[in-house]
Amino acid sequence: FAARVEYENMQVIASHRVIAPSPVALASKPVRSLRRTSGSVARRSADRVILSTRAVAEEGAADDDFESRLGALRGKRSKRSADDVAAKTAVKDAEPVKKATPSGQRRKGVADFTTVGSVEEPAGANWGSETVVYEGPPARGEIIANVAMSWTLVWLPLTISAIGRGLWVNYRITDKRVSVLSTSPLRTERIDVPLKEITDVIAIGRGVGLWGDMVITLKNGEKVELRSMPDFKDIEKHIKSNMGTADPELAKL
Protein backbone atom coordinates (compact mmCIF):
# COMPACT_ATOMS: atom_id res chain seq x y z
CA PHE A 1 0.00 0.00 0.00
CA ALA A 2 2.77 2.46 0.86
CA ALA A 3 4.49 1.72 -2.41
CA ARG A 4 1.29 2.48 -4.27
CA VAL A 5 0.84 5.83 -2.49
CA GLU A 6 4.39 6.86 -3.30
CA TYR A 7 3.84 5.96 -6.93
CA GLU A 8 0.72 8.11 -7.18
CA ASN A 9 2.52 11.07 -5.60
CA MET A 10 5.25 10.82 -8.17
CA GLN A 11 2.64 10.80 -10.94
CA VAL A 12 1.07 14.00 -9.55
CA ILE A 13 4.45 15.71 -9.30
CA ALA A 14 5.24 14.69 -12.85
CA SER A 15 1.94 16.10 -14.14
CA HIS A 16 2.58 19.49 -12.49
CA ARG A 17 6.19 19.83 -13.63
CA VAL A 18 6.99 23.08 -15.50
CA ILE A 19 9.28 22.72 -18.41
CA ALA A 20 11.88 25.52 -18.28
CA PRO A 21 12.73 27.24 -21.57
CA SER A 22 16.02 26.57 -23.15
CA PRO A 23 18.80 29.21 -23.15
CA VAL A 24 18.46 29.63 -26.94
CA ALA A 25 14.78 30.43 -26.63
CA LEU A 26 15.48 32.93 -23.88
CA ALA A 27 18.13 34.61 -26.00
CA SER A 28 16.03 34.79 -29.17
CA LYS A 29 12.77 36.05 -27.68
CA PRO A 30 13.91 39.57 -26.66
CA VAL A 31 15.45 40.16 -30.09
CA ARG A 32 12.21 39.39 -31.89
CA SER A 33 10.23 41.65 -29.55
CA LEU A 34 12.74 44.46 -30.08
CA ARG A 35 12.51 44.06 -33.84
CA ARG A 36 8.74 44.16 -33.72
CA THR A 37 8.79 47.28 -31.49
CA SER A 38 11.34 49.04 -33.73
CA GLY A 39 9.22 48.27 -36.81
CA SER A 40 6.08 49.68 -35.13
CA VAL A 41 7.86 52.88 -34.12
CA ALA A 42 9.26 53.33 -37.61
CA ARG A 43 5.86 52.85 -39.21
CA ARG A 44 4.25 55.30 -36.78
CA SER A 45 6.98 57.92 -37.42
CA ALA A 46 6.49 57.53 -41.16
CA ASP A 47 2.74 57.95 -40.76
CA ARG A 48 3.26 61.10 -38.69
CA VAL A 49 5.63 62.55 -41.29
CA ILE A 50 3.08 61.85 -44.05
CA LEU A 51 0.27 63.48 -42.02
CA SER A 52 2.44 66.53 -41.24
CA THR A 53 3.33 66.89 -44.92
CA ARG A 54 -0.32 66.69 -45.91
CA ALA A 55 -1.30 69.27 -43.25
CA VAL A 56 1.39 71.69 -44.45
CA ALA A 57 0.30 71.22 -48.06
CA GLU A 58 -3.39 71.78 -47.19
CA GLU A 59 -2.51 74.88 -45.14
CA GLY A 60 -0.49 76.29 -48.01
CA ALA A 61 -3.37 75.66 -50.43
CA ALA A 62 -5.78 77.35 -48.01
CA ASP A 63 -3.46 80.38 -47.73
CA ASP A 64 -3.18 80.61 -51.50
CA ASP A 65 -6.98 80.41 -51.83
CA PHE A 66 -7.44 83.13 -49.16
CA GLU A 67 -4.90 85.40 -50.85
CA SER A 68 -6.60 84.96 -54.21
CA ARG A 69 -10.02 85.78 -52.74
CA LEU A 70 -8.61 88.79 -50.92
CA GLY A 71 -7.00 90.05 -54.11
CA ALA A 72 -10.27 89.62 -56.01
CA LEU A 73 -12.14 91.50 -53.27
CA ARG A 74 -9.63 94.36 -53.35
CA GLY A 75 -9.98 94.54 -57.09
CA LYS A 76 -13.78 94.77 -56.81
CA ARG A 77 -13.53 97.49 -54.18
CA SER A 78 -11.08 99.47 -56.26
CA LYS A 79 -13.34 99.16 -59.26
CA ARG A 80 -16.35 100.18 -57.21
CA SER A 81 -14.50 103.20 -55.79
CA ALA A 82 -13.53 104.29 -59.27
CA ASP A 83 -17.14 103.92 -60.40
CA ASP A 84 -18.37 105.96 -57.41
CA VAL A 85 -15.91 108.75 -58.12
CA ALA A 86 -16.96 108.79 -61.77
CA ALA A 87 -20.66 108.86 -60.81
CA LYS A 88 -20.15 111.71 -58.32
CA THR A 89 -18.19 113.66 -60.90
CA ALA A 90 -20.93 113.15 -63.47
CA VAL A 91 -23.62 114.31 -61.01
CA LYS A 92 -21.55 117.33 -60.02
CA ASP A 93 -21.04 118.24 -63.67
CA ALA A 94 -24.76 117.83 -64.34
CA GLU A 95 -25.77 120.20 -61.52
CA PRO A 96 -26.78 123.62 -62.76
CA VAL A 97 -24.48 126.47 -61.88
CA LYS A 98 -26.07 128.60 -59.17
CA LYS A 99 -26.55 132.21 -59.98
CA ALA A 100 -24.18 134.37 -58.01
CA THR A 101 -25.75 136.80 -55.58
CA PRO A 102 -25.14 140.44 -56.44
CA SER A 103 -22.20 141.86 -54.55
CA GLY A 104 -22.96 144.28 -51.74
CA GLN A 105 -26.36 142.73 -51.02
CA ARG A 106 -27.26 140.90 -47.83
CA ARG A 107 -30.47 139.93 -46.18
CA LYS A 108 -32.00 142.50 -43.85
CA GLY A 109 -33.54 141.52 -40.55
CA VAL A 110 -35.48 143.10 -37.73
CA ALA A 111 -32.27 144.57 -36.27
CA ASP A 112 -31.73 146.60 -39.47
CA PHE A 113 -35.15 148.23 -39.08
CA THR A 114 -34.91 148.87 -35.31
CA THR A 115 -33.97 152.12 -33.60
CA VAL A 116 -33.15 151.74 -29.90
CA GLY A 117 -33.41 154.54 -27.31
CA SER A 118 -35.96 156.72 -29.05
CA VAL A 119 -39.37 156.50 -30.72
CA GLU A 120 -38.82 159.61 -32.80
CA GLU A 121 -38.40 159.41 -36.55
CA PRO A 122 -34.78 158.36 -37.28
CA ALA A 123 -32.56 161.10 -38.65
CA GLY A 124 -32.00 160.74 -42.37
CA ALA A 125 -35.08 158.59 -42.94
CA ASN A 126 -37.08 159.77 -45.95
CA TRP A 127 -40.30 157.90 -46.53
CA GLY A 128 -41.89 160.66 -48.60
CA SER A 129 -45.60 161.25 -48.39
CA GLU A 130 -47.49 158.44 -46.66
CA THR A 131 -51.11 157.47 -46.26
CA VAL A 132 -51.86 156.31 -42.73
CA VAL A 133 -54.10 153.22 -42.56
CA TYR A 134 -54.05 152.81 -38.80
CA GLU A 135 -52.31 154.61 -35.93
CA GLY A 136 -52.92 153.95 -32.25
CA PRO A 137 -52.52 151.52 -29.34
CA PRO A 138 -53.62 147.88 -29.22
CA ALA A 139 -57.32 147.14 -28.81
CA ARG A 140 -58.72 148.27 -25.44
CA GLY A 141 -61.00 145.27 -25.37
CA GLU A 142 -57.98 143.09 -24.60
CA ILE A 143 -57.33 144.98 -21.38
CA ILE A 144 -60.97 144.75 -20.31
CA ALA A 145 -61.14 140.99 -21.01
CA ASN A 146 -57.91 140.26 -19.19
CA VAL A 147 -58.80 142.38 -16.17
CA ALA A 148 -62.11 140.52 -15.92
CA MET A 149 -60.18 137.24 -15.78
CA SER A 150 -57.42 138.47 -13.47
CA TRP A 151 -59.06 136.97 -10.36
CA THR A 152 -57.40 133.67 -11.35
CA LEU A 153 -53.70 133.33 -10.64
CA VAL A 154 -53.17 131.62 -14.01
CA TRP A 155 -54.54 134.63 -15.91
CA LEU A 156 -52.68 137.27 -13.88
CA PRO A 157 -49.48 137.32 -16.03
CA LEU A 158 -51.57 137.74 -19.19
CA THR A 159 -53.41 140.66 -17.59
CA ILE A 160 -50.14 142.40 -16.71
CA SER A 161 -48.86 141.93 -20.29
CA ALA A 162 -52.09 143.34 -21.75
CA ILE A 163 -51.93 146.41 -19.48
CA GLY A 164 -48.27 146.97 -20.42
CA ARG A 165 -49.06 146.85 -24.16
CA GLY A 166 -51.95 149.24 -23.69
CA LEU A 167 -49.74 151.75 -21.87
CA TRP A 168 -46.48 151.60 -23.83
CA VAL A 169 -47.09 150.19 -27.33
CA ASN A 170 -48.37 152.01 -30.42
CA TYR A 171 -48.84 150.79 -34.01
CA ARG A 172 -48.60 152.83 -37.18
CA ILE A 173 -49.55 151.26 -40.50
CA THR A 174 -49.10 153.26 -43.70
CA ASP A 175 -48.97 152.50 -47.39
CA LYS A 176 -45.13 152.16 -47.14
CA ARG A 177 -44.27 150.62 -43.77
CA VAL A 178 -45.39 148.89 -40.59
CA SER A 179 -44.15 150.66 -37.44
CA VAL A 180 -44.16 149.39 -33.85
CA LEU A 181 -43.28 151.97 -31.18
CA SER A 182 -42.51 150.92 -27.60
CA THR A 183 -41.94 153.34 -24.69
CA SER A 184 -41.53 150.66 -22.03
CA PRO A 185 -39.32 151.62 -19.06
CA LEU A 186 -37.33 148.45 -19.74
CA ARG A 187 -36.66 149.19 -23.42
CA THR A 188 -37.51 152.12 -25.66
CA GLU A 189 -37.42 151.39 -29.38
CA ARG A 190 -39.18 151.66 -32.69
CA ILE A 191 -39.35 149.22 -35.59
CA ASP A 192 -40.05 150.43 -39.13
CA VAL A 193 -40.47 147.55 -41.59
CA PRO A 194 -40.97 148.51 -45.26
CA LEU A 195 -43.92 146.75 -46.86
CA LYS A 196 -41.66 145.57 -49.70
CA GLU A 197 -39.58 143.61 -47.15
CA ILE A 198 -42.64 141.64 -46.03
CA THR A 199 -43.33 138.32 -47.76
CA ASP A 200 -46.19 136.96 -45.65
CA VAL A 201 -48.75 138.04 -43.05
CA ILE A 202 -51.02 135.92 -40.86
CA ALA A 203 -53.80 137.24 -38.63
CA ILE A 204 -55.82 135.30 -36.05
CA GLY A 205 -58.93 136.70 -34.44
CA ARG A 206 -59.22 137.21 -30.69
CA GLY A 207 -61.99 138.47 -28.43
CA VAL A 208 -64.88 137.12 -30.52
CA GLY A 209 -63.24 138.63 -33.62
CA LEU A 210 -63.14 142.22 -32.30
CA TRP A 211 -59.36 142.29 -32.48
CA GLY A 212 -56.61 139.89 -33.53
CA ASP A 213 -52.96 138.96 -33.34
CA MET A 214 -50.85 139.44 -36.46
CA VAL A 215 -47.46 138.06 -37.52
CA ILE A 216 -45.53 139.43 -40.48
CA THR A 217 -42.63 137.56 -42.09
CA LEU A 218 -39.63 139.31 -43.60
CA LYS A 219 -37.64 138.21 -46.65
CA ASN A 220 -34.92 136.71 -44.46
CA GLY A 221 -37.46 134.61 -42.54
CA GLU A 222 -37.57 136.69 -39.36
CA LYS A 223 -40.96 137.60 -37.90
CA VAL A 224 -42.53 140.62 -36.21
CA GLU A 225 -45.55 140.16 -33.95
CA LEU A 226 -48.35 142.68 -33.56
CA ARG A 227 -50.63 141.74 -30.65
CA SER A 228 -54.25 142.85 -30.21
CA MET A 229 -54.49 144.73 -33.51
CA PRO A 230 -57.86 146.46 -34.10
CA ASP A 231 -59.43 146.04 -37.56
CA PHE A 232 -56.93 143.24 -38.14
CA LYS A 233 -58.74 141.89 -41.22
CA ASP A 234 -58.58 145.19 -43.10
CA ILE A 235 -54.97 145.72 -42.11
CA GLU A 236 -54.09 142.19 -43.24
CA LYS A 237 -55.62 142.83 -46.65
CA HIS A 238 -53.75 146.13 -46.91
CA ILE A 239 -50.38 144.53 -46.14
CA LYS A 240 -50.98 141.62 -48.54
CA SER A 241 -51.82 143.98 -51.38
CA ASN A 242 -48.63 146.02 -50.89
CA MET A 243 -46.05 143.54 -49.62
CA GLY A 244 -43.07 142.31 -51.62
CA THR A 245 -42.26 138.85 -52.95
CA ALA A 246 -39.91 136.29 -51.47
CA ASP A 247 -36.39 136.16 -52.93
CA PRO A 248 -34.87 132.71 -52.24
CA GLU A 249 -31.36 133.70 -53.34
CA LEU A 250 -31.37 136.80 -51.15
CA ALA A 251 -32.75 134.86 -48.19
CA LYS A 252 -29.67 132.59 -48.22
CA LEU A 253 -27.26 135.41 -47.55
Side-chain angles (χ1 to χ4, degrees), residues 95-112:
E95 289 181 354
V97 179
K98 294 183 179 180
K99 184 172 60 176
T101 306
S103 59
Q105 290 186 359
R106 70 174 187 85
R107 63 181 183 181
K108 292 184 178 181
V110 178
D112 297 306

Side-chain angles (χ1 to χ4, degrees), residues 200-218:
D200 190 22
V201 56
I202 299 175
I204 300 175
R206 305 291 185 190
V208 201
L210 299 178
W211 65 86
D213 296 338
M214 187 177 299
V215 177
I216 59 177
T217 305
L218 306 185

Side-chain angles (χ1 to χ4, degrees), residues 2 4 85 92 106 120 162 180 187 217:
R4 185 175 181 81
V85 172
K92 193 174 293 185
R106 70 174 187 85
E120 300 296 330
V180 182
R187 183 180 175 88
T217 305

Side-chain angles (χ1 to χ4, degrees), residues 42-74:
R43 283 195 299 271
R44 289 177 184 175
S45 300
D47 293 339
R48 289 179 181 175
V49 171
I50 293 172
L51 292 176
S52 300
T53 306
R54 289 180 180 176
V56 171
E58 291 177 357
E59 185 177 358
D63 292 341
D64 294 339
D65 185 38
F66 176 75
E67 292 293 338
S68 61
R69 291 182 180 180
L70 184 61
L73 182 61
R74 288 175 179 173

Side-chain angles (χ1 to χ4, degrees), residues 106-114 191 193 197 218 220 222:
R106 70 174 187 85
R107 63 181 183 181
K108 292 184 178 181
V110 178
D112 297 306
F113 307 123
T114 302
I191 302 174
V193 180
E197 292 291 331
L218 306 185
N220 69 337
E222 294 183 354

